[in-house]
Amino acid sequence: MGTRERDRERDKDRELLIPVATISDDEDSKSSSSPPTPTISSTSHGREAFLKVIRSWAWKKFMTGCVILFPLAITFYVTWGFIHLVDGFFSPVYDHLGINIFGLGFATSITFIFLVGIFMSSWVGASVLTLGELFIKKMPLVSYIYSASKQISAAISPDQNSNAFKEVAIIRHPGKGQYMFGFITSTVVLQKGIGEEELCCVYVPTNHLYLGDVLLISSTDILRPNISVREGIEIVISGGMSVPKLFTMIDPSGISATRTVNFEASV
């Protein structure tokens, strides 16, 4: 009887040990089949870095396209609006006649402006213009508008008369090492007790081109760069973005001086 009881106890112990072994085997198989965590993290970091590079490249290319297309779009929009504006001067006349051809009014307007320029360049046209200006200057409000618009148009006129900008001038700013752009409009003579001094009337724009200050400066204190009036107007309107990198000074006699001003070096 004693041996039988011992055999039964051994069998019970074996039954208790079998599930433990199977559980441990399952845990080992699971631990061996699961991938290591560091591999997953390194893969995700590489993917994020790749996406950042792609986003940065796409954004740069998009901004490059915007920079290239923006001036083209503005140029096309302004040109198209100008064509429609000029075309509208004579388009109603052709519409009344039953002629609907786009661009015919624009061509007629350009031809009309050209003929007006030829007529006003003659003695008869100048006389008619003088009589018209005398009539306009007697009108209270219209005279101010006409005078201001005429001064602006005279500044960019190809005929350098007494009312137009003569030259581009660079004058010294009150601050040390600073300069300002201006336009020489006329010259005056200042009579003093010890003699006479020639002064230049310089218009310095402070708000684009239509507002500014008028200064009387000695001709010896003015720097005259080798740029035209049109280029000077472009510099002012563009906010200095079209300014040349190097200026060559010109003497009042028209001879180029050896002195140069490099604004990049002064800054």
Side-chain angles (χ1 to χ4, degrees), residues 1-256:
M1 294 293 290
T3 57
R4 291 181 179 179
E5 291 178 357
R6 290 177 183 176
D7 294 335
R8 289 177 181 176
E9 291 178 357
R10 289 178 182 177
D11 295 336
K12 290 180 180 180
D13 293 337
R14 290 177 181 176
E15 291 176 357
L16 293 173
L17 291 174
I18 289 172
V20 174
T22 56
I23 292 172
S24 62
D25 294 338
D26 294 338
E27 290 179 353
D28 293 338
S29 62
K30 289 181 180 179
S31 61
S32 62
S33 61
S34 60
T37 304
T39 306
I40 295 177
S41 61
S42 62
T43 305
S44 61
H45 285 305
R47 184 177 300 173
E48 291 178 359
F50 178 74
L51 292 176
K52 287 182 180 179
V53 171
I54 292 298
R55 284 196 295 266
S56 176
W57 178 83
W59 176 253
K60 289 181 180 179
K61 297 304 179 182
F62 177 78
M63 292 304 299
T64 301
C66 291
V67 170
I68 294 174
L69 293 178
F70 180 75
L72 295 177
I74 294 296
T75 303
F76 176 79
Y77 180 78
V78 173
T79 304
W80 188 255
F82 176 76
I83 292 175
H84 274 276
L85 177 65
V86 178
D87 185 75
F89 293 154
F90 288 94
S91 292
V93 178
Y94 290 111
D95 292 339
H96 183 72
L97 296 175
I99 302 174
N100 296 321
I101 300 176
F102 178 76
L104 185 59
F106 176 78
T108 306
S109 300
I110 295 299
T111 305
F112 175 76
I113 294 172
F114 179 73
L115 294 177
V116 168
I118 295 176
F119 177 72
M120 291 301 173
S121 299
S122 63
W123 178 81
V124 178
S127 301
V128 173
L129 180 61
T130 303
L131 293 176
E133 287 182 346
L134 291 176
F135 177 75
I136 292 175
K137 289 180 179 179
K138 293 181 180 180
M139 305 176 69
L141 181 61
V142 178
S143 60
Y144 294 105
I145 300 174
Y146 178 78
S147 298
S149 60
K150 183 179 179 181
Q151 290 175 0
I152 296 174
S153 62
I156 59 176
S157 174
D159 298 328
Q160 295 296 319
N161 51 28
S162 59
N163 296 324
F165 291 162
K166 299 293 185 182
E167 297 177 72
V168 179
I170 298 178
I171 61 176
R172 297 185 183 275
H173 191 268
K176 184 178 180 181
Q178 299 178 359
Y179 298 87
M180 291 189 300
F181 277 104
F183 299 94
I184 300 175
T185 57
S186 61
T187 57
V188 297
V189 177
L190 178 63
Q191 292 183 351
K192 297 187 288 187
I194 57 175
E196 297 180 349
E197 183 181 3
E198 183 182 10
L199 301 177
C200 292
C201 185
V202 180
Y203 173 73
V204 180
T206 56
N207 187 1
H208 292 291
L209 193 64
Y210 48 86
L211 291 178
D213 299 327
V214 178
L215 306 176
L216 290 175
I217 304 175
S218 176
S219 59
T220 58
D221 297 333
I222 295 176
L223 301 177
R224 293 175 169 85
N226 60 335
I227 58 176
S228 63
V229 174
R230 293 178 183 272
E231 292 173 342
I233 294 175
E234 291 178 359
I235 291 173
V236 174
I237 294 178
S238 65
M241 290 186 292
S242 61
V243 63
K245 301 301 181 183
L246 186 68
F247 285 122
T248 303
M249 297 299 107
I250 299 178
D251 293 335
S253 59
I255 303 174
S256 298

